[in-house]
Amino acid sequence: MAILLHDFAGKHSLTFDVGRLAADAAVADAGHEPNGYFWEGLVQFAWPDIAERLDFDSEAGMFCVVGSPSDLAQLRTALEPVIASPDAVRDIIERAETSGFEFDD
């Protein structure tokens, strides 16, 4: 499952489809819905410095953010290993829940 970067009329976005990611089972096992809104929360918790500069536009079946090419490239580098690893996403969920963060999924 690939993370895609788009440039449409000078507007830059990053998207990926959810529901068939390697990390989805770990998300569901933790009691969350593996949808675009869950991934928004994960990004906001794990990389708040990048997240504050992005505009989120996710849907149930897709994660989508709009931002600068450099912020989107940074996010892609950070996210790629997480969406491919149940252990990595489990670790972030545990840290988030321990800190009191609530996912809006």
Side-chain angles (χ1 to χ4, degrees):
M1 190 60 48
I3 294 177
L4 303 173
L5 294 173
H6 309 274
D7 177 359
F8 183 72
K11 192 172 187 180
H12 303 275
S13 63
L14 176 151
T15 64
F16 60 88
D17 292 331
V18 298
R20 295 181 304 274
L21 301 172
D24 282 345
V27 173
D29 288 348
H32 297 285
E33 190 69 34
N35 59 31
Y37 308 112
F38 166 82
W39 289 100
E40 281 187 11
L42 185 129
V43 166
Q44 291 167 344
F45 172 78
W47 304 286
D49 54 326
I50 299 172
E52 70 184 10
R53 297 188 303 268
L54 301 173
D55 292 319
F56 292 86
D57 191 22
S58 296
E59 300 174 357
M62 177 185 69
F63 174 83
C64 178
V65 291
V66 177
S68 73
S70 62
D71 287 337
L72 297 175
Q74 268 188 290
L75 182 60
R76 181 180 190 175
T77 299
L79 265 176
E80 281 181 328
V82 175
I83 66 172
S85 170
D87 289 337
V89 78
R90 226 181 330 266
D91 177 62
I92 294 171
I93 291 169
E94 288 174 12
R95 287 188 290 123
E97 290 176 346
T98 298
S99 77
F101 183 87
E102 292 189 29
F103 290 93
D104 183 22
D105 54 315

